[in-house]
Amino acid sequence: MLRRLSLERVKNLRALRPQIFALGNSHFSTATEPSFNRRNPPRVPNLIGGTFVDSQATAAIDVINPATQEVVSQVPLTTNEEFKAAVSAAKKAFLSWRNTPVTTRQRIMFKLQELIRRDIDKLAKNITTEQGKTLKDAHGDVFRGLEVVEHACGMATLHMGEYVPNVSNGIDTFSIREPLGVCAGICPFNFPAMIPLWMFPIAVTCGNTYVLKPSEKDPGASVMLAELAQEAGLPDGVLNIVHGTNDIVNAICDDDDIRAVSFVGSNTAGMHIYARASAKGKRVQSNMGAKNHGIVMPDANMDATLNALVAAGFGAAGQRCMALSTVVFVGDSKSWESKLVERAKSLKVNAGTEPDTDLGPVISKQAKERIYNLIQSGVESGAKLLLDGRNIVVPGYEQGNFIGPTILSDVTADMECYKEEIFGPVLVCMKADSLDEAIDIVNRNKYGNGASIFTTSGAAARKFQIEIEAGQVGVNVPIPVPLPFFSFTGSKASFAGDLNFYGKAGVNFYTQIKTITQQWKDLPSGSGVSLAMPTSQKL
């Protein structure tokens, strides 16, 4: 019955799908299309209570293709009334969804992962159009999120409580995990599919309902994923989508019906959300900025290490919170740096849709200018510019937000280009005389997302993993992001909250513990009343 209703709803939904999300698969007359599809450019709809609806807001933000500057669509600044309607729909849906068997919720996730695989090319194309990353990297974006959906398929096991029989004479105690209620997620621009999939699949499979705010820079993937979730059988109101900027973020933090908030993004926004939402009694998990270091020991395998540094430093145009943006060479650095420049020069910068592209554009003109300024500040502070990618021009995409691979050497810890997260294709190189000095450089940095060491020495690797102050540690692994059966464990200034994303911590974040103590025994009559503190000790 559930599947039949789901299929009927999906047939109706496809008739409403905006052309940008259908990617050319649907051609309907304007008479049957909703108003957001008749607009040019199309307007991104909200999802409220199972229905995609055009916002009544008059203000909107352009979604711009960073390679061409073409306006892809427009994102409405959702009104407060529409936001309240989304929260109300989620609150109403929670009453029945929390009591839906976990096996049923799992089956919806099984179907969702199947549908994501079916439409992965469409999702990747949309991501490349709106965010700019290469198609290959966009596929990786979707796939890393898909792995979280697969993990949610085992929620029955992840959800298990604890039981101790006969804690006292005839008394048993057990604990269970229950959903919180309405939860919300606030997403960044750099992973339009992966981050939403870090959030709502775990939350809803735990029995919660959800309000998702995609990035206003690239909302398309979130809407497409919501469509697939509905096709998979997710009931109306369990997942809702609202668009906007600061006002919607603050509304999420302040709303009394929202119990938990997940955020990924900058430190400025992340600390604001953490403080404001926590002050309202909400749970918050806030993944923020990073300055990830790679320590290169003299005995490291040169070829493998150079490939790792180039891939982790320049992949996704450096717009990853786990990008390896800082290299600390222990001992001689000149031979390493010259070969690093050689390999970086071989990378192809172009629009993400073009074949064999290694780096696409950065997200916006403002981001490009900020990266330019940080590079220049490094030069003015005494860093050597070994490779300058600022003046690159891509034929056919002259208006794109392109920056080529850039390498700064002789960088010191007091330079702005080191202290700030550049979030672009810029690799800064530092020097240390010993492993102890290199570890000290990393540990003095305020961020703690990730750090890696490249070495063939087990003793050096073990010393590093014990002494380094970072939440995710790689040994000959440049981007040590764990798979979803572990958790994403950023620390220090890179994370605010107590429970991290996905894995066991993610399940714990989206659930609360209830402990039940029960007694089933025949009590002798006339035993009297005792007002003493109950204990397990039989006197």
Side-chain angles (χ1 to χ4, degrees):
M1 179 65 179
L2 177 64
R3 179 165 175 77
R4 187 165 68 249
L5 290 172
S6 171
L7 290 173
E8 285 298 318
R9 182 172 60 200
V10 168
K11 290 177 183 177
N12 294 332
L13 174 62
R14 291 196 183 283
L16 297 177
R17 178 182 287 190
Q19 289 175 357
I20 180 176
F21 306 122
L23 296 169
N25 287 339
S26 299
H27 303 279
F28 300 101
S29 71
T30 55
T32 61
E33 290 176 350
S35 60
F36 53 77
N37 197 18
R38 293 197 299 269
R39 297 174 185 262
N40 188 21
R43 191 142 120 152
V44 185
N46 288 323
L47 172 61
I48 300 175
T51 302
F52 285 91
V53 292
D54 188 13
S55 173
Q56 297 303 303
T58 55
I61 298 172
D62 290 340
V63 176
I64 297 173
N65 183 326
T68 65
Q69 304 306 308
E70 294 174 343
V71 177
V72 177
S73 60
Q74 289 190 321
V75 176
L77 300 184
T78 301
T79 67
N80 187 59
E81 291 74 18
E82 291 164 344
F83 169 74
K84 289 291 187 183
V87 175
S88 178
K91 185 177 181 181
K92 180 181 178 181
F94 178 66
L95 299 175
S96 58
W97 180 244
R98 67 171 299 168
N99 293 317
T100 301
V102 65
T103 48
T104 300
R105 301 198 297 257
Q106 285 182 157
R107 289 187 191 106
I108 293 172
M109 290 300 112
F110 273 113
K111 183 63 178 176
L112 177 58
Q113 66 85 26
E114 175 191 328
L115 297 174
I116 291 172
R117 289 178 185 276
R118 183 196 71 189
D119 285 2
I120 192 167
D121 289 341
K122 295 178 182 179
L123 285 158
K125 183 177 179 182
N126 176 271
I127 290 168
T128 298
T129 300
E130 294 186 353
Q131 198 272 347
K133 63 179 66 177
T134 67
L135 281 171
K136 186 175 182 179
D137 197 33
H139 274 86
D141 185 331
V142 179
F143 192 80
R144 288 306 294 260
L146 174 63
E147 290 174 327
V148 180
V149 180
E150 292 173 336
H151 187 58
C153 293
M155 187 56 69
T157 302
L158 300 172
H159 225 192
M160 285 183 176
E162 298 171 313
Y163 179 83
V164 178
N166 218 42
V167 295
S168 187
N169 187 32
I171 296 177
D172 307 324
T173 299
F174 60 96
S175 65
I176 59 175
R177 289 204 163 271
E178 294 189 328
L180 302 175
V182 181
C183 302
I186 302 166
C187 302
F189 74 83
N190 57 328
F191 287 98
M194 184 182 78
I195 301 301
L197 291 174
W198 277 13
M199 295 177 178
F200 79 81
I202 296 292
V204 302
T205 315
C206 284
N208 301 286
T209 54
Y210 217 76
V211 177
L212 185 72
K213 194 207 86 66
S215 169
E216 64 278 9
K217 293 181 174 66
D218 44 21
S222 289
V223 175
M224 294 174 75
L225 290 168
E227 291 179 335
L228 296 181
Q230 290 199 322
E231 184 177 349
L234 201 66
D236 293 347
V238 174
L239 175 62
N240 304 270
I241 293 179
V242 293
H243 302 285
T245 54
N246 297 349
D247 288 345
I248 290 297
V249 168
N250 288 336
I252 287 172
C253 294
D254 295 344
D255 193 284
D256 291 332
D257 288 325
I258 292 176
R259 299 286 309 280
V261 179
S262 299
F263 169 80
V264 177
S266 71
N267 277 65
T268 301
M271 289 310 300
H272 168 80
I273 290 165
Y274 179 74
R276 186 160 180 156
S278 296
K280 296 291 288 186
K282 304 183 195 313
R283 287 187 182 181
V284 185
Q285 51 180 191
S286 181
N287 269 13
M288 298 178 289
K291 198 74 176 182
N292 305 308
H293 297 67
I295 295 177
V296 178
M297 299 298 290
D299 65 350
N301 180 296
M302 182 165 279
D303 189 61
T305 301
L306 287 170
N307 286 340
L309 296 177
V310 169
F314 302 124
Q319 297 175 121
R320 294 172 176 155
C321 63
M322 283 296 288
L324 202 160
S325 58
T326 304
V327 186
V328 183
F329 292 106
V330 176
D332 175 60
S333 63
K334 296 301 179 186
S335 59
W336 285 96
E337 289 174 350
S338 61
K339 290 181 172 62
L340 195 58
V341 169
E342 184 181 327
R343 297 206 183 191
K345 281 182 176 179
S346 69
L347 297 176
K348 181 179 178 181
V349 181
N350 208 332
T353 51
E354 296 295 332
D356 303 320
T357 299
D358 295 308
L359 280 79
V362 296
I363 189 66
S364 66
K365 294 289 186 187
Q366 294 79 8
K368 181 179 178 179
E369 182 179 358
R370 178 180 177 275
I371 295 164
Y372 270 34
N373 292 338
L374 284 168
I375 295 170
Q376 186 60 33
S377 75
V379 174
E380 293 172 357
S381 299
K384 293 180 182 177
L385 191 57
L386 300 182
L387 183 61
D388 188 354
R390 288 177 293 178
N391 297 317
I392 190 168
V393 176
V394 177
Y397 298 95
E398 288 81 5
Q399 300 303 312
N401 308 325
F402 294 100
I403 301 176
T406 299
I407 300 176
L408 289 164
S409 71
D410 294 343
V411 173
T412 57
D414 59 340
M415 295 181 182
E416 284 300 306
C417 65
Y418 173 74
K419 292 189 290 185
E420 292 291 323
E421 182 180 29
I422 298 177
F423 226 58
V426 182
L427 200 56
V428 301
C429 300
M430 307 177 76
K431 299 174 185 176
D433 292 330
S434 65
L435 177 57
D436 283 321
E437 183 184 350
I439 290 174
D440 185 61
I441 289 172
V442 179
N443 287 349
R444 280 190 283 112
N445 190 277
K446 68 178 180 178
Y447 294 111
N449 235 14
S452 298
I453 188 170
F454 299 91
T455 182
T456 55
S457 167
R462 191 169 189 276
K463 175 182 175 66
F464 173 81
Q465 72 182 50
I466 291 171
E467 296 183 12
I468 207 70
E469 295 172 6
Q472 293 160 121
V473 176
V475 177
N476 298 317
V477 175
I479 306 178
V481 177
L483 292 173
F485 31 87
F486 292 94
S487 298
F488 189 100
T489 50
S491 61
K492 295 168 66 175
S494 295
F495 180 75
D498 297 311
L499 294 166
N500 298 95
F501 282 83
Y502 60 77
K504 291 180 181 178
V507 174
N508 291 348
F509 178 78
Y510 285 120
T511 56
Q512 56 193 350
I513 298 175
K514 178 183 286 183
T515 304
I516 299 97
T517 301
Q518 60 182 13
Q519 175 178 264
W520 297 104
K521 64 180 181 180
D522 292 329
L523 297 175
S525 58
S527 58
V529 176
S530 173
L531 300 185
M533 171 67 74
T535 71
S536 61
Q537 183 177 4
K538 186 175 182 180
L539 299 175

Coordinates of all heavy atoms in Angstrom, one line a residue, residues 254-305:
D254 N 16.0 29.8 16.3 CA 15.1 30.3 17.3 C 13.8 29.5 17.5 O 13.2 29.6 18.5 CB 14.7 31.8 16.9 CG 15.9 32.7 17.0 OD1 17.0 32.4 17.6 OD2 15.8 33.8 16.4
D255 N 13.5 28.7 16.5 CA 12.2 28.1 16.5 C 12.1 27.0 17.7 O 12.9 26.1 17.7 CB 11.9 27.4 15.2 CG 10.4 27.0 15.1 OD1 10.0 26.0 15.7 OD2 9.7 27.7 14.4
D256 N 11.1 27.1 18.5 CA 11.0 26.3 19.7 C 10.6 24.8 19.3 O 10.9 23.9 20.1 CB 9.9 26.8 20.6 CG 10.3 28.1 21.3 OD1 11.5 28.3 21.5 OD2 9.4 28.9 21.6
D257 N 10.1 24.6 18.1 CA 9.7 23.2 17.7 C 10.9 22.4 17.1 O 10.8 21.2 16.9 CB 8.6 23.3 16.7 CG 7.3 23.6 17.4 OD1 7.1 23.3 18.5 OD2 6.5 24.3 16.7
I258 N 12.0 23.1 16.8 CA 13.2 22.4 16.2 C 14.1 22.0 17.4 O 14.5 22.9 18.2 CB 13.9 23.3 15.2 CG1 13.0 23.6 14.0 CG2 15.3 22.7 14.8 CD1 13.6 24.5 13.0
R259 N 14.4 20.7 17.4 CA 15.1 20.2 18.6 C 16.6 20.1 18.4 O 17.4 20.1 19.3 CB 14.6 18.8 18.9 CG 13.1 18.8 19.3 CD 12.9 19.3 20.7 NE 13.8 18.7 21.7 CZ 13.6 17.5 22.2 NH1 12.5 16.8 21.9 NH2 14.4 17.0 23.1
A260 N 17.1 20.0 17.1 CA 18.5 19.9 16.9 C 18.9 20.5 15.5 O 18.0 20.5 14.6 CB 18.9 18.4 16.8
V261 N 20.1 21.0 15.4 CA 20.5 21.7 14.2 C 21.9 21.2 13.8 O 22.8 21.1 14.6 CB 20.6 23.3 14.5 CG1 21.2 23.9 13.2 CG2 19.3 23.8 14.9
S262 N 22.0 20.8 12.6 CA 23.3 20.4 12.0 C 23.8 21.5 11.0 O 23.0 22.0 10.2 CB 23.2 19.1 11.2 OG 22.7 18.1 12.1
F263 N 25.1 21.8 11.1 CA 25.6 22.9 10.2 C 27.0 22.5 9.7 O 27.8 21.9 10.5 CB 25.7 24.2 11.0 CG 26.5 25.2 10.2 CD1 25.9 26.0 9.2 CD2 27.9 25.5 10.5 CE1 26.7 26.9 8.5 CE2 28.6 26.4 9.9 CZ 28.0 27.2 8.8
V264 N 27.3 22.8 8.5 CA 28.6 22.7 7.9 C 28.9 24.0 7.2 O 28.1 24.4 6.3 CB 28.8 21.5 6.9 CG1 30.2 21.5 6.3 CG2 28.5 20.2 7.7
G265 N 30.0 24.6 7.5 CA 30.3 25.9 6.8 C 31.5 26.6 7.5 O 32.3 26.0 8.1
S266 N 31.4 27.9 7.4 CA 32.5 28.8 7.9 C 32.5 28.9 9.4 O 31.4 28.7 10.0 CB 32.4 30.2 7.3 OG 31.3 30.9 7.8
N267 N 33.6 29.3 10.0 CA 33.6 29.5 11.5 C 32.7 30.7 11.9 O 32.1 30.6 13.0 CB 35.1 29.8 11.9 CG 35.8 28.5 12.1 OD1 36.1 27.8 11.2 ND2 36.2 28.2 13.3
T268 N 32.7 31.7 11.2 CA 31.8 32.9 11.5 C 30.4 32.4 11.7 O 29.7 32.7 12.7 CB 32.0 34.0 10.5 OG1 33.3 34.4 10.5 CG2 31.1 35.2 10.9
A269 N 29.9 31.8 10.6 CA 28.5 31.3 10.6 C 28.3 30.2 11.7 O 27.3 30.2 12.4 CB 28.0 30.9 9.3
G270 N 29.3 29.3 11.7 CA 29.1 28.1 12.6 C 29.1 28.5 14.1 O 28.3 27.9 14.8
M271 N 29.9 29.4 14.5 CA 29.9 29.8 15.9 C 28.6 30.6 16.2 O 28.1 30.5 17.3 CB 31.1 30.6 16.2 CG 32.4 29.7 16.3 SD 32.2 28.2 17.3 CE 31.9 28.9 18.9
H272 N 28.2 31.4 15.3 CA 26.9 32.1 15.5 C 25.7 31.1 15.7 O 24.9 31.3 16.6 CB 26.6 33.0 14.3 CG 25.2 33.6 14.2 ND1 24.9 34.7 15.0 CD2 24.1 33.2 13.6 CE1 23.6 35.0 14.8 NE2 23.1 34.1 13.9
I273 N 25.7 30.1 14.8 CA 24.6 29.1 14.9 C 24.7 28.3 16.2 O 23.7 28.1 16.8 CB 24.6 28.2 13.6 CG1 24.2 29.0 12.4 CG2 23.8 27.0 13.8 CD1 24.5 28.4 11.1
Y274 N 25.9 27.9 16.5 CA 26.1 27.2 17.7 C 25.7 27.9 19.0 O 24.9 27.4 19.8 CB 27.6 26.8 17.9 CG 27.9 26.0 19.1 CD1 27.5 24.6 19.2 CD2 28.5 26.6 20.2 CE1 27.7 23.9 20.4 CE2 28.8 25.8 21.4 CZ 28.4 24.5 21.4 OH 28.6 23.8 22.6
A275 N 26.1 29.2 19.0 CA 25.7 30.0 20.2 C 24.2 30.3 20.2 O 23.6 30.2 21.3 CB 26.5 31.3 20.2
R276 N 23.6 30.7 19.1 CA 22.2 31.1 19.1 C 21.3 29.9 19.3 O 20.3 30.0 20.1 CB 21.9 31.8 17.8 CG 20.5 32.4 17.7 CD 20.4 33.4 16.7 NE 19.1 34.0 16.6 CZ 18.9 35.2 16.1 NH1 19.9 36.0 15.6 NH2 17.6 35.7 16.0
A277 N 21.6 28.8 18.6 CA 20.7 27.6 18.8 C 20.9 26.9 20.2 O 19.9 26.5 20.8 CB 21.0 26.6 17.7
S278 N 22.1 26.9 20.6 CA 22.4 26.3 22.0 C 21.7 27.1 23.1 O 21.1 26.6 24.0 CB 23.9 26.2 22.3 OG 24.5 25.4 21.4
A279 N 21.6 28.4 22.9 CA 21.0 29.3 23.9 C 19.5 29.0 23.9 O 18.8 29.3 25.0 CB 21.2 30.8 23.5
K280 N 18.9 28.4 22.9 CA 17.5 28.1 22.9 C 17.3 26.6 23.3 O 16.2 26.0 23.1 CB 16.9 28.3 21.5 CG 16.9 29.7 21.0 CD 15.9 30.6 21.8 CE 14.5 30.2 21.4 NZ 13.5 31.2 22.0
G281 N 18.4 26.0 23.8 CA 18.2 24.6 24.3 C 18.3 23.5 23.2 O 18.0 22.4 23.5
K282 N 18.8 23.8 22.0 CA 18.9 22.8 21.0 C 20.2 22.1 21.0 O 21.3 22.7 21.4 CB 18.7 23.5 19.6 CG 17.5 24.3 19.4 CD 17.4 24.9 18.0 CE 16.3 25.9 17.9 NZ 15.1 25.6 18.5
R283 N 20.2 20.9 20.5 CA 21.5 20.2 20.2 C 22.0 20.8 18.9 O 21.3 21.1 18.0 CB 21.3 18.7 20.0 CG 20.9 17.9 21.2 CD 20.9 16.5 20.9 NE 20.6 15.7 22.1 CZ 20.5 14.3 22.1 NH1 20.8 13.7 20.9 NH2 20.2 13.7 23.2
V284 N 23.4 21.0 18.9 CA 24.0 21.5 17.7 C 25.3 20.7 17.4 O 26.0 20.4 18.3 CB 24.4 23.0 17.9 CG1 24.9 23.6 16.6 CG2 23.2 23.8 18.4
Q285 N 25.4 20.4 16.1 CA 26.7 19.9 15.6 C 27.1 20.9 14.5 O 26.4 21.1 13.6 CB 26.6 18.5 15.2 CG 25.5 18.2 14.2 CD 25.5 16.7 13.7 OE1 24.7 16.4 12.8 NE2 26.2 15.8 14.4
S286 N 28.3 21.4 14.7 CA 28.7 22.5 13.8 C 30.2 22.2 13.2 O 31.1 22.3 14.0 CB 28.7 23.8 14.5 OG 29.1 24.9 13.6
N287 N 30.2 21.7 12.0 CA 31.5 21.5 11.3 C 31.9 22.8 10.7 O 31.2 23.4 9.9 CB 31.4 20.4 10.3 CG 31.7 19.0 10.8 OD1 31.8 18.8 12.0 ND2 31.9 18.1 9.9
M288 N 33.2 23.3 11.0 CA 33.6 24.6 10.5 C 34.9 24.6 9.7 O 35.2 23.6 9.0 CB 33.6 25.5 11.7 CG 32.2 25.7 12.4 SD 32.3 26.7 13.8 CE 33.2 25.7 15.0
G289 N 35.7 25.6 9.8 CA 36.8 25.8 9.0 C 38.0 24.8 9.3 O 37.9 24.1 10.3
A290 N 39.0 24.9 8.5 CA 40.1 24.0 8.7 C 41.4 24.5 8.1 O 41.3 25.4 7.2 CB 39.8 22.6 8.0
K291 N 42.5 24.0 8.5 CA 43.8 24.3 7.9 C 44.6 22.9 8.1 O 45.3 22.7 9.0 CB 44.5 25.4 8.6 CG 45.7 26.0 7.8 CD 45.2 26.8 6.7 CE 46.3 27.5 5.9 NZ 45.8 28.4 4.8
N292 N 44.3 22.1 7.1 CA 44.9 20.7 7.2 C 46.3 20.6 6.8 O 46.6 21.1 5.7 CB 44.0 19.8 6.4 CG 42.5 19.9 6.8 OD1 42.2 19.8 8.0 ND2 41.6 20.1 5.9
H293 N 47.1 20.0 7.6 CA 48.6 19.9 7.3 C 49.0 18.5 6.8 O 48.4 17.5 7.3 CB 49.4 20.3 8.6 CG 49.2 21.7 9.1 ND1 48.0 22.1 9.6 CD2 50.0 22.7 9.2 CE1 48.1 23.4 10.0 NE2 49.4 23.8 9.7
G294 N 50.0 18.5 6.0 CA 50.6 17.2 5.7 C 52.1 17.3 6.0 O 52.8 18.2 5.4
I295 N 52.6 16.5 6.9 CA 54.0 16.5 7.2 C 54.7 15.5 6.3 O 54.3 14.3 6.2 CB 54.3 16.1 8.7 CG1 53.7 17.2 9.6 CG2 55.7 15.9 9.0 CD1 53.8 16.9 11.1
V296 N 55.8 15.9 5.6 CA 56.5 15.1 4.7 C 57.9 14.8 5.3 O 58.7 15.7 5.4 CB 56.6 15.7 3.3 CG1 57.4 14.9 2.3 CG2 55.2 16.0 2.7
M297 N 58.1 13.5 5.6 CA 59.4 13.1 6.1 C 60.4 12.8 5.0 O 60.0 12.5 3.9 CB 59.2 11.9 7.0 CG 58.3 12.0 8.2 SD 58.9 13.3 9.4 CE 60.3 12.4 10.0
P298 N 61.7 12.9 5.3 CA 62.7 12.7 4.2 C 62.6 11.3 3.6 O 63.0 11.2 2.4 CB 64.0 12.9 5.0 CG 63.7 13.7 6.2 CD 62.3 13.4 6.6
D299 N 62.1 10.3 4.3 CA 62.1 9.0 3.8 C 60.8 8.7 3.1 O 60.6 7.5 2.6 CB 62.2 8.0 5.0 CG 61.1 8.0 6.0 OD1 60.3 8.9 5.9 OD2 61.0 7.1 6.9
A300 N 59.9 9.6 2.9 CA 58.6 9.4 2.2 C 58.8 9.0 0.8 O 59.8 9.4 0.1 CB 57.7 10.6 2.3
N301 N 57.9 8.1 0.3 CA 58.0 7.7 -1.1 C 57.6 9.0 -2.0 O 56.5 9.5 -1.9 CB 56.9 6.6 -1.4 CG 56.9 6.2 -2.8 OD1 56.6 6.9 -3.7 ND2 57.2 4.9 -3.0
M302 N 58.6 9.4 -2.8 CA 58.5 10.7 -3.4 C 57.3 10.7 -4.4 O 56.5 11.6 -4.4 CB 59.8 11.1 -4.1 CG 59.7 12.5 -4.8 SD 61.3 13.2 -5.2 CE 61.8 13.9 -3.7
D303 N 57.3 9.7 -5.3 CA 56.2 9.7 -6.3 C 54.8 9.7 -5.7 O 54.0 10.5 -6.1 CB 56.4 8.5 -7.3 CG 55.6 8.6 -8.5 OD1 55.7 9.6 -9.3 OD2 54.7 7.7 -8.7
A304 N 54.6 8.8 -4.8 CA 53.3 8.6 -4.2 C 52.9 9.9 -3.4 O 51.7 10.3 -3.4 CB 53.2 7.4 -3.3
T305 N 53.9 10.4 -2.7 CA 53.6 11.6 -1.9 C 53.3 12.8 -2.7 O 52.3 13.6 -2.4 CB 54.8 11.9 -0.9 OG1 55.0 10.8 -0.1 CG2 54.5 13.1 -0.1

